[in-house]
Amino acid sequence: MSQQDLDVLVVGDILSDTFIKLLDDNAWTSESDNGLNLTMPFGMKVPFDHADFIPAVGNASNAAVSLTRLGHTAGLISNTGNDRGGREIVDALHEHGVDSRFVHLNPGKSSNHHYVLWYKDDRTILINHEHYDYNWPRFRKTDVPKWMYLTSIGANTHEYHDEIIHFLERFPDVKLLFQPGTFHISEGAEVFKRVYERTEVLVLNREEAVQVTGGSHEDIHDLITRLHQLGPKIVSISDGPNGAYISEGENRFKIPLYPDPAPPVERTGAGDAYASTLLAGLLHGLSLEDAARWAPINSMNVVQHVGAREGLLKVEQLMELLRNAPDWYKPESF
């Protein structure tokens, strides 16, 4: 694709997924001390329904495609292998209109590939991450975006995050949306203190908010306050079927889930759709409350499809669903 001025640069890892649809009567779930476990016959040939291969996914790629569908120019800073899988990833990014000039193909490395065991409407994901050489790209002033969207990156990338912060300090007009990944959360908020301090919009779920702050799961106001104290100006905490809580300080409100037209097919990518659509609304010049009304609609549609990308909406589709929303679908102070 031709190079354009970028609205958003998304930073994070990229991979491909193979979804394996398990038959309902050849697997089952059971409770354990570690939560719900997926169980299958061992040492046997187990039939499955079908498999779907989806290249160029992961939190960062999902967000970039979502933003592009919603009418914004989005680029991706990421790493993959210089192999067939890596070339498939770059081709898929081009197909979906994402600027891939900053995707680095690492020589001698394999591309990340996840295997998703899809059982009923949920999934267990088998993961194995390649270790890449993370190097921040060189930028011309014309490459600098309006926003950066930082999300999941592999472990042991502290120096890389220092380079990200240096870039943000060099270009103070660039706003940051931070959707922490596993590495960010497991390392602790103090390790990424400068990232939180630089964040304009922080998006995470309630369990992650507890891990980041050490606050009480039962006290949503305390969680929000603690997150603001880390630095973010806007905080969004998703809470499963309860919707999401959003705050810009004193102004705090709750947005419900948009009603599902049918039971969810598969839930991968719902959080990425939510966060990226919230940002898309802000880029469109909407108020925070109106942008918050956009976000759950894209999440709803994503879970009606297989994978994180198929159900992502264009603006006109999203607006049609918004026009047909029930009267109760609106932000309310809490």
Side-chain angles (χ1 to χ4, degrees):
M1 62 174 290
S2 61
Q3 295 182 2
Q4 307 175 62
D5 292 342
L6 293 172
D7 293 321
V8 187
L9 258 177
V10 188
V11 183
D13 287 345
I14 193 168
L15 54 107
S16 295
D17 277 338
T18 295
F19 281 79
I20 303 171
K21 182 69 172 81
L22 303 178
L23 295 168
D24 288 358
D25 57 357
N26 279 300
W28 57 94
T29 56
S30 58
E31 293 282 355
S32 74
D33 293 340
N34 297 319
L36 201 62
N37 287 345
L38 175 67
T39 304
M40 300 169 61
F42 180 70
M44 299 174 61
K45 294 181 178 179
V46 180
F48 64 94
D49 187 85
H50 68 278
D52 294 309
F53 172 68
I54 306 176
V57 291
N59 299 123
S61 179
N62 299 341
V65 173
S66 173
L67 287 157
T68 301
R69 294 243 180 118
L70 291 169
H72 301 291
T73 52
L76 181 65
I77 300 179
S78 193
N79 282 269
T80 189
N82 188 14
D83 58 1
R84 178 180 175 181
R87 291 186 289 275
E88 289 174 335
I89 283 171
V90 171
D91 288 345
L93 293 173
H94 289 171
E95 179 185 344
H96 291 282
V98 176
D99 189 324
S100 65
R101 77 183 95 155
F102 301 120
V103 175
H104 178 55
L105 300 177
N106 289 253
K109 299 284 189 177
S110 299
S111 301
N112 288 324
H113 194 149
H114 290 178
Y115 294 88
V116 184
L117 303 180
W118 171 19
Y119 180 65
K120 296 186 177 178
D121 67 347
D122 217 330
R123 74 281 189 272
T124 292
I125 306 176
L126 306 181
I127 64 173
N128 180 26
H129 284 284
E130 183 73 52
H131 296 286
Y132 297 122
D133 295 323
Y134 288 84
N135 294 297
W136 191 247
R138 294 182 179 179
F139 281 88
R140 302 168 300 178
K141 287 189 177 180
T142 53
D143 296 330
V144 178
K146 299 173 185 174
W147 281 77
M148 178 182 289
Y149 183 126
L150 174 61
T151 186
S152 298
I153 298 180
N156 302 315
T157 53
H158 299 94
E159 292 182 2
Y160 187 66
H161 281 83
D162 289 341
E163 294 182 81
I164 292 171
I165 286 297
H166 178 70
F167 171 84
L168 291 168
E169 290 172 346
R170 183 183 170 198
F171 299 104
D173 291 337
V174 177
K175 295 181 178 180
L176 174 65
L177 183 146
F178 185 29
Q179 181 193 15
T182 302
F183 173 59
H184 299 123
I185 293 170
S186 64
E187 290 287 282
E190 185 61 30
V191 172
F192 294 104
K193 180 176 184 290
R194 294 165 71 198
V195 176
Y196 284 101
E197 289 174 344
R198 185 60 172 78
T199 295
E200 183 82 12
V201 180
L202 176 67
V203 182
L204 69 183
N205 64 39
R206 192 163 185 160
E207 289 71 26
E208 291 167 340
V210 171
Q211 290 178 271
V212 168
T213 65
S216 168
H217 188 279
E218 306 308 314
D219 191 341
I220 190 68
H221 280 290
D222 181 58
L223 289 175
I224 289 172
T225 298
R226 286 169 179 256
L227 290 170
H228 277 305
Q229 288 171 347
L230 294 175
K233 296 177 183 177
I234 296 171
V235 170
S236 174
I237 302 177
S238 58
D239 192 22
N242 297 317
Y245 302 91
I246 301 176
S247 167
E248 49 186 345
E250 295 301 319
N251 177 30
R252 298 181 177 187
F253 59 90
K254 180 180 178 181
I255 186 74
L257 295 182
Y258 190 91
D260 291 319
V265 173
E266 192 274 321
R267 300 182 187 276
T268 302
D272 305 328
Y274 173 91
S276 58
T277 308
L278 182 68
L279 175 54
L282 296 175
L283 281 164
H284 269 78
L286 300 180
S287 67
L288 182 58
E289 288 87 348
D290 286 339
R293 294 183 75 209
W294 276 29
I297 297 176
N298 223 358
S299 292
M300 173 280 299
N301 206 58
V302 161
V303 303
Q304 294 293 319
H305 299 79
V306 178
R309 194 166 58 216
E310 184 65 25
L312 291 171
L313 296 164
K314 295 183 177 180
V315 171
E316 55 269 24
Q317 295 170 314
L318 190 152
M319 295 305 296
E320 179 66 21
L321 287 164
L322 186 58
R323 284 191 290 270
N324 293 324
D327 292 340
W328 51 259
Y329 182 70
K330 58 186 178 182
E332 293 189 352
S333 298
F334 70 98

